[in-house]
Amino acid sequence: MIPVVVKNCKIGEGKTKIIVPIVAASREAILAEASTFHSIPVDVVAWRIDLYEGVRDTAAVIETAGMLQDVLRDIPLLVTYRSAVEGGKTQEEIDNDLSPEAYGDLLQAVCESGKADLVDVEIFI
């Protein structure tokens, strides 16, 4: 298998990779959590944007992703949005879920911004 290299992380080669999620709601909490990751063994950070209070503001998502990139430096950033179909949400979060069109538009904008190293796309949406 040919490894996928993202920043300093070779996926598909060597030891099992550790992916740590950020599930905080506010930008301040997200950045504070990310600032602790250089002291623990983390290969990739997965930011759950579905739990971010600014998820409906594409510019805010992209701006926060850029700030995360600055904090994480050489740790790859995976941006993911877990829809209600994929589970793991409270009723309030399900009620606030993005439409499939809004989901696609948001992830496309994140991809085009270059502020994420990886983007998780739900195949069923």
Side-chain angles (χ1 to χ4, degrees):
M1 172 171 31
I2 298 172
V4 174
V5 180
V6 183
K7 292 188 175 174
N8 294 327
C9 183
K10 289 185 179 181
I11 301 168
E13 178 178 285
K15 65 181 178 72
T16 301
K17 305 308 180 245
I18 299 171
I19 301 175
V20 177
I22 294 179
V23 296
S26 72
R27 178 181 287 170
E28 295 75 20
I30 290 164
L31 297 174
E33 190 172 341
S35 70
T36 68
F37 291 157
H38 289 283
S39 63
I40 59 176
V42 175
D43 296 302
V44 176
V45 170
W47 177 31
R48 289 273 310 275
I49 62 172
D50 54 298
L51 301 175
Y52 174 44
E53 64 192 9
V55 69
R56 293 183 180 276
D57 180 347
T58 300
V61 171
I62 291 170
E63 183 178 13
T64 302
M67 295 170 134
L68 265 172
Q69 288 278 22
D70 292 342
V71 171
L72 295 173
R73 297 185 307 263
D74 59 340
I75 301 172
L77 175 62
L78 166 67
V79 171
T80 184
Y81 182 100
R82 183 172 291 169
S83 69
V85 172
E86 293 293 321
K89 291 190 171 196
T90 66
Q91 186 59 50
E92 179 182 352
E93 291 163 344
I94 290 170
D95 292 343
N96 291 320
D97 216 3
L98 295 178
S99 70
E101 295 78 17
Y103 168 87
D105 291 346
L106 176 59
L107 291 189
Q108 182 173 348
V110 169
C111 288
E112 290 173 355
S113 76
K115 301 298 182 183
D117 299 302
L118 302 160
V119 175
D120 179 14
V121 178
E122 293 181 7
I123 194 72
F124 296 109
I125 290 186

